[in-house]
Amino acid sequence: MRLHLVATICAAAIGFAASSPAYAEQKTVKACEDEWQAKKAEHQKAGITEKAYVEKCRAESAAVPPAAATKAPPAKEPAPAPTATKAPPAKEPAPAPTATKAPAPTAAKAPTAANEFSTEAAAKARCPTDTVVWLNTSSKVFHFASSKDYGKTKAGAYMCEKDSVAAGNRAAKNEKKP
């Protein structure tokens, strides 16, 4: 069931990307990896590697407008008028899940401090010449794009490296600046 839901969401996201020329925020590596995993067998059969899919996914996601990425749930129809018979009332079916863009890894805790961004693209717009890092807001440790933890911690935000250091955060000890 979960795989089917993920596949439906992926198909909807790809459809939106193909239909709109507007530019928006780029998907995280994690979101693209999750999409690839959802259709892993299909992609492997087509000879598409995970790395190639993630690169393509992130490039295409920049063309998805934020308004088109989410749909409003369908309006419920009014309940039927009561009848003279004593038939039990009909239950309304639960609304079908709507296709929405997969939430960024920071959805549980949105960035709250100054110069923290929920997307890499927004951080890059703030500091086009500086390195964008992923700050684990719980530990105050940041990770570079080459790290396995980049964009993947439970609580975090994208930041410019200079802003992160100025805010008192530090780089992970096992990482080197690219």
Side-chain angles (χ1 to χ4, degrees):
M1 177 70 179
R2 181 177 177 191
L3 180 63
H4 179 68
L5 178 61
V6 172
T8 303
I9 291 171
C10 293
I14 291 170
F16 289 131
S19 66
S20 176
Y23 291 96
E25 299 172 351
Q26 192 176 37
K27 284 186 186 177
T28 63
V29 172
K30 173 89 170 105
C32 291
E33 286 174 347
D34 290 345
E35 288 177 14
W36 188 87
Q37 286 294 331
K39 293 186 173 182
K40 183 176 181 177
E42 184 180 316
H43 293 308
Q44 287 178 335
K45 187 183 275 187
I48 301 171
T49 64
E50 182 177 12
K51 182 177 180 181
Y53 180 82
V54 169
E55 288 175 6
K56 182 180 176 187
C57 171
R58 295 195 75 210
E60 288 177 353
S61 68
V64 178
T70 59
K71 283 186 177 179
K76 288 186 177 181
E77 294 181 16
T83 59
T85 62
K86 293 198 175 199
K91 289 185 180 179
E92 287 188 22
T98 58
T100 58
K101 184 177 177 182
T106 59
K109 182 180 175 189
T112 56
N115 302 323
E116 289 184 4
F117 301 94
S118 60
T119 65
E120 187 175 22
K124 195 63 179 169
R126 159 97 169 88
C127 54
T129 59
D130 194 13
T131 305
V132 173
V133 296
W134 173 260
L135 173 67
N136 181 336
T137 54
S138 298
S139 66
K140 303 296 183 195
V141 172
F142 61 82
H143 304 277
F144 295 104
S146 59
S147 168
K148 66 179 177 60
D149 294 317
Y150 186 77
K152 294 186 180 181
T153 60
K154 288 182 181 178
Y158 293 99
M159 290 186 76
C160 303
E161 183 182 13
K162 290 178 184 173
D163 293 339
S164 184
V165 170
N169 305 310
R170 65 172 179 82
K173 292 179 180 178
N174 60 345
E175 295 179 32
K176 292 184 181 178
K177 184 174 180 175

